[in-house]
Structures are given as structure tokens and as C-alpha cells.
Amino acid sequence: MRLTSISARLLPAALFAGLVVAGCSSEKPNPTAPGYQGLGSGSAGDVSTTRMGGEDSGVIFGVGKGSKDQGGGGVGGGSGIGVNAFLWRGALDTISFMPLASADPFGGVIITDWYTPPGTSGERFKATIYILSRDLRSDGVRVNIFRQVLQNGQWVDATVSETTVADIENKVLARARRMREQMQASS
């Protein structure tokens, strides 16, 4: 009798554990978009390659040549990303000087790590860029910039000028439009 009461208590737990294990898979989804050329790969999207020059060489924020869309008309259909491919690549190119913390091409979110500009040690910046549209539109990108200053050995949040945020959004849009024009000219 004692064995059955223990079994009755363990049966629901065993069933639950079995369902959990059955729901697990050894294959995990690839968080990187198909066709996405990661940073440091030596490809056209490689930051080290784009920083070396090209027709945009010397332009602040819009450095290097971006990769060409692999079809899909710039809406991400052929490249497998869920957002506009030109806005995505334009955003990555625009903030390529900042260390990348996270990039989700399906959700359209790019997050950088803290960046301290050369020559300044008392302030640092972080950016989050949202690609909001599958179309190349001016309201298809939103940028958030975070700024901190060093005060008494502690990093303290500071304000960021709205013109700075607007300037970066405009740089992303300009870069995206340039890439679309280059693709259309080469087609």
C-alpha cells in the first residue's frame, strides 16, 4: 500500500518531466538571419572591410559600402530578415564605430555596448536602434541614445540632445537610400 501512495504522488511529477523533456529539442533555431554576413567575416558587411575606405570613406557615421540586398526589393523578403534590409544595413553601418552588443534582424533591434569617444574619458554612449518597417520610410527607424558622465567615480545618466538622435536617424536613412540607389543602378 505504501508503494502505491508514493507512486500516486510521483506520477504527476514524472508525467510533467516527461512532457518537458519531450518538448525539448537538440536543434536550436539559428538567431541569425539566413544570408546575414556577421561582423569580422571578411565579407562585404565586415566592419573591418567597410572602415577601410570606399566611396563613403571619411564620412562620419556613413562609413564604407554596405552589402547588397539579395533580392526581395529591399524589404527583407529575399534575405530572410523581418525588416527593411536597407534600413538594417544602414543602421549597422552608421553605428559601426560602436561595439555591438546585440543584433536581432527578425525583430529589428540593434543594441550597442557602451562607447567612450577617443579623447574623452568622462562620458560614454550607448545606442538602441529599432527598425520599425519593412518599407524604406522615414518613420521606419527609431534611435535611442543613452549618455552617462563620470562623477565622483560613478557613472551618472545625462541628457542627450534631441538633435543628436535626429541626426543619427537621418544618417541611417541617408545610408539606406544610398544603398538602395546603388542597388537599383547596378540592376
Side-chain angles (χ1 to χ4, degrees), residues 3-187:
L3 184 61
T4 58
S5 66
I6 293 174
S7 298
R9 283 187 272 152
L10 294 178
L11 183 62
L15 286 174
F16 179 75
L19 288 173
V20 168
V21 170
C24 294
S25 172
S26 63
E27 294 209 21
K28 295 187 179 181
N30 184 356
T32 307
Y36 175 71
Q37 312 253 328
L39 301 177
S41 65
S43 65
D46 184 359
V47 173
S48 62
T49 303
T50 58
R51 287 185 179 172
M52 298 308 287
E55 65 188 43
D56 293 324
S57 183
V59 177
I60 297 176
F61 295 116
V63 289
K65 295 181 183 178
S67 61
K68 293 182 181 176
D69 188 32
Q70 302 294 323
V75 293
S79 65
I81 64 175
V83 296
N84 183 277
F86 296 118
L87 287 174
W88 178 257
R89 188 71 237 169
L92 285 174
D93 286 354
T94 300
I95 60 156
S96 65
F97 63 94
M98 298 177 84
L100 192 62
S102 173
D104 177 10
F106 297 106
V109 180
I110 300 168
I111 303 171
T112 69
D113 204 355
W114 288 106
Y115 168 75
T116 301
T120 63
S121 60
E123 71 178 342
R124 63 185 185 173
F125 298 89
K126 185 175 188 169
T128 303
I129 300 178
Y130 301 95
I131 309 300
L132 304 171
S133 175
R134 292 183 62 90
D135 299 320
L136 180 51
R137 302 166 31 133
S138 62
D139 62 351
V141 63
R142 187 177 73 218
V143 175
N144 289 335
I145 302 293
F146 305 95
R147 178 177 169 247
Q148 291 184 336
V149 294
L150 191 60
Q151 292 179 354
N152 300 325
Q154 297 279 333
W155 289 105
V156 179
D157 291 337
T159 60
V160 176
S161 169
E162 289 184 30
T163 57
T164 301
V165 172
D167 288 345
I168 293 175
E169 287 177 351
N170 289 334
K171 296 277 186 187
V172 170
L173 290 166
R175 178 74 180 126
R177 288 181 188 122
R178 241 186 343 265
M179 286 189 300
R180 182 181 63 184
E181 291 167 0
Q182 290 171 351
M183 188 184 117
Q184 289 173 344
S186 68
S187 296

